Amino acid sequence: MAFYLVDYENVNTEGMQGVELLSAVDEVIIFYSHYADRLTFDLHQRINLSQAAVQYIKVDACKKNGLDFQLVTYLGYLIARTPESNFYIVSKDNGFQSVVQFWEDRQIAVSQLDSITAAGDCTNRDTVEQQIENLFADSATARRVAACLRKSKSKQELHNYLAAAFRTDEAGKYYHKVKHLL
């Protein structure tokens, strides 16, 4: 299960690329304000094609970063409900990196993306997640390794993320177990 929290004010229709590829176990929560409250016909059609549950939350963004604070608050609520899920903040706003790091330090799978498509091939994501779970007896370790893999665009990045998340001896072992999945 994955949750996509979309900062629509920031990414607009481009951030929604790939919504039609999501599965029935995924949820998309679109945070928008009066500054960005329009959908194109193309986006409307793609949302209708999606099997994912889609929710719209209009926020009063009269204060600077008002939408961001509400999105992060909702993220915390979702994590409390289903900590084993994968969480994606869809935004180009660099301010979310501290939120991502906060949750990664607590072994919760939170990533930031420019668009839903950036989560990778949505059709095989569950297969890769299952392969990682099969490689590790401890589900918390599997989630942390999966979070590192999701963020990585190269094997070097994967190694670096694992080295930052685990002790040196563990990082090397984990890298060799999962590098083929990249």
Side-chain angles (χ1 to χ4, degrees):
M1 171 177 254
F3 292 93
Y4 296 83
L5 292 87
V6 179
D7 178 356
Y8 195 74
E9 206 176 61
N10 180 272
V11 295
N12 219 288
T13 58
E14 295 84 28
M16 296 295 294
Q17 295 295 323
V19 69
E20 68 278 7
L21 302 174
L22 298 177
S23 71
V25 297
D26 296 322
E27 279 190 46
V28 178
I29 302 102
I30 302 170
F31 290 82
Y32 70 100
S33 70
H34 69 279
Y35 296 116
D37 63 353
R38 306 267 191 271
L39 296 176
T40 64
F41 282 105
D42 177 57
L43 177 55
H44 180 70
Q45 289 174 330
R46 286 186 286 127
I47 290 171
N48 283 338
L49 289 173
S50 181
Q51 294 179 25
V54 178
Q55 180 181 162
Y56 302 91
I57 298 178
K58 185 170 186 175
V59 298
D60 180 15
C62 61
K63 302 279 186 198
K64 182 174 169 50
N65 295 322
L67 185 145
D68 300 351
F69 291 132
Q70 292 177 46
L71 186 150
V72 169
T73 299
Y74 201 78
L75 171 65
Y77 163 75
L78 292 172
I79 289 171
R81 279 187 29 215
T82 59
E84 70 285 349
S85 296
N86 295 310
F87 302 92
Y88 299 99
I89 299 171
V90 182
S91 179
K92 295 176 187 173
D93 185 338
N94 291 331
F96 287 114
Q97 283 306 305
S98 61
V99 174
V100 170
Q101 188 61 52
F102 174 85
W103 287 112
E104 281 184 5
D105 291 347
R106 286 150 182 83
Q107 291 78 52
I108 302 293
V110 177
S111 302
Q112 182 175 349
L113 313 169
D114 289 349
S115 70
I116 291 171
T117 302
D121 181 4
C122 299
T123 59
N124 76 359
R125 185 184 64 241
D126 293 337
T127 305
V128 171
E129 297 282 334
Q130 186 62 49
Q131 289 175 355
I132 291 171
E133 285 180 21
N134 292 340
L135 292 172
F136 296 92
D138 178 29
S139 63
T141 300
R143 282 196 307 272
R144 289 174 65 194
V145 170
C148 293
L149 186 66
R150 278 192 302 278
K151 293 188 300 188
S152 303
K153 294 181 179 76
S154 68
K155 289 184 179 178
Q156 182 63 49
E157 277 189 1
L158 173 61
H159 188 272
N160 292 343
Y161 285 127
L162 290 169
F166 298 97
R167 292 191 330 254
T168 304
D169 59 325
E170 292 175 325
K173 285 191 308 188
Y174 299 162
Y175 172 77
H176 290 291
K177 280 186 170 186
V178 300
K179 67 182 180 180
H180 70 280
L181 297 173
L182 190 59

